Amino acid sequence: MTQRGVLDRRTLLRGAAGLAAFCGLNAASAACGGRKDAVRIATDDRWRQFAGTTLNFISENTAPTAAIAANLRPFTELTGINVNIVTLELTALVQKVALDLAGGESQYHVIYADPYQVLAPYSKGLVDLRELAADSSLPGLEGGFADFIPTQLDAAGRFGGGDEIFALPYDCPTMVWQYRADLFAKHHDRMADDLGFDPTPGAERTWEEYFRIARWFNDNTDDVAYGTGHQAKQHDSLQCDFSNVLWAFGGDYFDHGDRLGRYGTVEPGDCRLDTDPAIEAAQFYRRLLSIADPSSRTWDWNGLAPALTSGRIAMCPNWHEYAAGNEQAMPGKFGYAPLPRGTARSANIYGGTGIAINGNTLPNERRAAWLFVNWATAPRTQLANLASDAGGGTPTRESVYALPEVRAAEQRPSDLPNILTAPAVRKAWQPENIGLRPKIPMWNECDTAIYTQLSKMLAGDLSPADAMRETTARINRITDRGWSA
């Protein structure tokens, strides 16, 4: 087991490679070890040719999966295929997927492929979806791959230097500036006079101005206890929160961070957290946390969201899909904007994931799985998920955002509260604004090194410069070990 409970991927994939040579990872034969393929029915209806098949979909417990699980009937009626959905915490999901791929099995036909913990280390065990999209015996992909938001298709669907597409974008949580619009309106003129600038949130604001706005709330009003809060627990959330500032100040984890985040690699080169921009970002982040709600160091995203909706803080960076909860708690009182800019840009971390097909599937299983992946990411399904009482997340397709009913919902009153964030996230997803973590097989270990040293910095045990240098040394040791599969 690794530090965070994930099975050693190198060991697993060595086993997978050996078994693949025996069974045939591409499942060209009808069975491996006695497995039987799904039955294909002679029919002119391309959606119903695998009626009677049962598929297993393993997913993190996310909003789109909750919405689909609550209403699978449309898919079953369309295809005659039954789908069992297994939802797990991400670490447990990664363990089960790793074992399934290594064992040459396809217990899980459809996989929630986190870009960093599944796609990067296991892309060789996933199907290139272009092959299925081009199969004339199967329903085509409505709108084609071009209908997906381009930065998301790359970040969630690709790995390495090739043209393969291993996953279709399925969810797209992205950090944006969430704030109490009612309090900003109430205090706007006074803040502007005191601060000397327009405090209205937006990408034209700077992180230094964000700091000054937060301190103004601390010192000048009893409407909230603190001006800002953060997800600064010693956890992945701390790395995510800090990354927005790191990129905004021109720092990055490795060279060529944009390409590394979009396409990934097994050899990222030397860590760059010891550079001046990264150290400047760390210095600012420590200063920002010094005036934030002190409970920030105990919060991840699930702890931060209630602090905002309970009226404890005036603003925070958080995942945009918390908007629905905000609007339920305090209807009409929130606003959403891209995160502030630093000395380099506005950077908004993207946390989306795609869904993929297990490469161990047999030919007809694979085709049946494509029907589900195709349907689950189709425009009509994404629209239904968006309106679902069970959750639903936000769309990953351009065409859904262009629908008249979705456009109308960007303004209050809105029946689709997550779409109130659409103007902010559209800007956040632009190539110059999106924040992408390094898509490398060893990112899980690097992530742990980052948030561990940041936590020491926030506790006062390390200076920002020492925290960045120590993290750099640790990450270089991790990546120097290399990766083999």
Side-chain angles (χ1 to χ4, degrees):
M1 303 287 282
T2 67
Q3 232 177 341
R4 295 180 69 194
V6 179
L7 293 172
D8 185 295
R9 299 184 178 103
R10 199 176 302 180
T11 300
L12 285 166
L13 283 183
R14 278 199 294 266
L19 195 60
F22 177 73
C23 293
L25 187 60
N26 293 323
S29 59
C32 175
R35 288 170 50 207
K36 293 184 178 180
D37 200 358
V39 175
R40 192 173 193 174
I41 299 169
T43 175
D44 292 333
D45 187 340
R46 291 181 296 172
W47 284 101
R48 295 196 65 82
Q49 56 191 307
F50 302 107
T53 297
T54 296
L55 296 173
N56 297 322
F57 171 34
I58 187 168
S59 174
E60 190 178 7
N61 188 12
T62 66
T65 300
I68 285 174
N71 190 22
L72 271 168
R73 180 179 295 178
F75 178 73
T76 302
E77 291 178 348
L78 176 67
T79 64
I81 294 172
N82 297 309
V83 181
N84 297 321
I85 299 179
V86 177
T87 57
L88 297 170
E89 183 272 331
L90 183 59
T91 300
L93 177 148
V94 173
Q95 291 177 2
K96 288 187 177 294
V97 168
L99 287 169
D100 203 27
L101 294 175
E105 300 295 323
S106 58
Q107 179 180 352
Y108 305 108
H109 307 96
V110 179
I111 295 167
Y112 181 86
D114 177 83
Y116 313 98
Q117 297 193 50
V118 175
L119 178 59
Y122 304 129
S123 62
K124 291 182 180 178
L126 305 175
V127 173
D128 181 357
L129 299 180
R130 297 175 306 162
E131 300 170 5
L132 295 164
D135 188 337
S136 61
S137 70
L138 297 171
L141 186 64
E142 184 178 350
F145 294 111
D147 190 33
F148 291 98
I149 294 163
T151 49
Q152 296 182 23
L153 181 63
D154 291 342
R158 300 183 189 274
F159 184 75
D163 295 328
E164 297 90 349
I165 298 174
F166 297 109
L168 296 185
Y170 180 66
D171 60 18
C172 54
T174 302
M175 276 200 198
V176 296
W177 188 347
Q178 304 184 22
Y179 61 95
R180 288 283 302 279
D182 58 330
L183 298 184
F184 273 78
K186 175 181 177 181
H187 299 295
H188 177 274
D189 292 347
R190 185 180 166 199
M191 273 198 288
D193 288 342
D194 290 350
L195 297 173
F197 60 86
D198 181 353
T200 304
E204 66 278 9
R205 298 275 70 79
T206 68
W207 274 110
E208 183 62 35
E209 289 171 343
Y210 183 101
F211 174 91
R212 293 178 61 193
I213 292 168
R215 190 169 57 184
W216 190 94
F217 274 104
N218 287 356
D219 297 341
N220 293 281
T221 176
D222 294 328
D223 290 322
V224 289
Y226 295 95
T228 186
H230 293 263
Q231 45 190 274
K233 179 180 180 179
Q234 187 174 331
H235 176 270
D236 176 59
S237 60
L238 174 54
Q239 170 270 129
C240 292
D241 197 56
F242 170 70
S243 291
N244 296 311
V245 176
L246 172 69
W247 294 318
F249 278 76
D252 214 329
Y253 293 104
F254 300 95
D255 286 335
H256 312 296
D258 173 67
R259 181 168 182 81
L260 195 55
R262 290 183 75 152
Y263 305 111
T265 185
V266 297
E267 296 180 351
D270 292 335
C271 180
R272 296 304 186 196
L273 286 178
D274 58 353
T275 61
D276 290 343
I279 292 171
E280 182 185 1
Q283 290 169 339
F284 173 81
Y285 188 73
R286 185 178 68 169
R287 187 160 63 93
L288 177 62
L289 267 290
S290 72
I291 65 161
D293 190 317
S295 294
S296 295
R297 290 186 54 217
T298 70
W299 291 337
D300 61 11
W301 40 79
N302 289 320
L304 179 60
L308 184 63
T309 57
S310 67
R312 180 177 174 127
I313 58 177
M315 60 184 183
C316 65
N318 205 0
W319 304 106
H320 82 278
E321 292 180 344
Y322 279 99
N326 294 348
E327 300 301 322
Q328 184 177 21
M330 293 185 181
K333 293 187 182 298
F334 291 95
Y336 308 95
L339 289 173
R341 58 184 172 84
T343 54
R345 64 179 178 123
S346 166
N348 306 259
I349 191 169
Y350 163 78
T353 291
I355 51 174
I357 297 175
N358 190 329
N360 293 328
T361 46
L362 300 173
N364 289 341
E365 286 180 326
R366 182 172 302 188
R367 295 185 178 97
W370 168 252
L371 298 184
F372 180 75
V373 169
N374 190 344
W375 173 84
T377 59
R380 65 177 66 87
T381 305
Q382 293 198 352
L383 180 62
N385 290 351
L386 184 60
S388 172
D389 291 336
T394 48
T396 62
R397 284 178 172 266
E398 303 270 19
S399 60
V400 180
Y401 290 96
L403 293 171
E405 60 267 43
V406 176
R407 282 286 191 183
E410 292 182 13
Q411 306 297 323
R412 294 185 176 88
S414 178
D415 294 329
L416 307 172
N418 274 340
I419 289 299
L420 292 170
T421 65
V425 294
R426 266 197 295 269
K427 293 180 181 177
W429 293 331
Q430 293 300 310
E432 64 271 21
N433 297 327
I434 196 167
L436 297 173
R437 287 162 283 180
K439 194 160 50 174
I440 57 176
M442 60 288 286
W443 175 249
N444 194 44
E445 291 179 84
C446 296
D447 183 17
T448 302
I450 294 160
Y451 67 67
T452 299
Q453 301 309 307
L454 285 172
S455 187
K456 291 179 180 178
M457 179 188 79
L458 295 179
D461 296 333
L462 288 175
S463 70
D466 286 343
M468 292 298 95
R469 291 172 185 138
E470 178 60 27
T471 306
T472 298
R474 290 180 179 228
I475 288 177
N476 283 336
R477 287 197 292 271
I478 292 166
T479 57
D480 283 349
R481 294 202 303 267
W483 175 261
S484 60

